[in-house]
Amino acid sequence: QVQLVESGGGLVQAVGSLRPSCAASEGILSTYNLCWFRQALRKEREFVAAINSWGGAAHADSVKGRFTISRDNAKNTLYLQMNSLKPEDTAVYYCALAKGRIRIGTTVLEYDNWGQGTQVTVSS
């Protein structure tokens, strides 16, 4: 079973940038749809961005224009470029995968193999 491991979170000041990554322990990520969700303290896990196996992407309205999801199939790695960070972006960021298809899912139940998460903290 594919295991996903996130890294690259950290503490950053507002308007700064981070680029978390998500690597697979085995398998070929190019055949899967991949996503980023986040969960802030005492809140539900929410959709951030997702990319299908053909490179099509979707981003939540709250991050559109600031965050960009991308994948490097040669490195078997998923990325989330986060620019113009705000304190409200503070959360644990998780990646997960789904069967490769054109439709890009935006709900938790559509994804499996969740990673352990990486903490992103944005100070004001």
Side-chain angles (χ1 to χ4, degrees), residues 36-92:
W36 287 100
F37 279 68
R38 66 186 181 187
Q39 188 165 15
L41 197 61
R42 292 185 291 274
K43 291 190 175 181
E44 297 287 318
R45 191 168 297 191
E46 66 174 2
F47 172 75
V48 175
I51 186 167
N52 66 19
S53 50
W54 291 268
H59 297 79
D61 288 343
S62 59
V63 307
K64 205 168 288 185
R66 301 188 298 122
F67 292 8
T68 303
I69 190 171
S70 64
R71 62 195 301 163
D72 186 333
N73 291 333
K75 295 183 178 180
N76 232 20
T77 302
L78 174 73
Y79 300 99
L80 183 68
Q81 180 65 49
M82 306 164 66
N83 298 330
S84 302
L85 282 160
K86 304 175 181 180
E88 51 263 45
D89 295 318
T90 295
V92 177

Side-chain angles (χ1 to χ4, degrees), residues 9-18 20 38 66-67 82-93 119-124:
L11 173 64
V12 64
Q13 289 187 325
V15 308
S17 299
L18 281 174
R38 66 186 181 187
R66 301 188 298 122
F67 292 8
M82 306 164 66
N83 298 330
S84 302
L85 282 160
K86 304 175 181 180
E88 51 263 45
D89 295 318
T90 295
V92 177
Y93 284 71
Q119 176 71 47
V120 171
T121 303
V122 184
S123 63
S124 57

Side-chain angles (χ1 to χ4, degrees), residues 33-35 37 47 50 96-101 103-114:
N33 284 18
L34 302 168
C35 70
F37 279 68
F47 172 75
L97 57 79
K99 181 180 177 181
R101 54 187 171 224
R103 180 184 176 280
I104 298 174
T106 60
T107 66
V108 171
L109 293 178
E110 295 178 90
Y111 293 93
D112 296 305
N113 300 67
W114 294 87

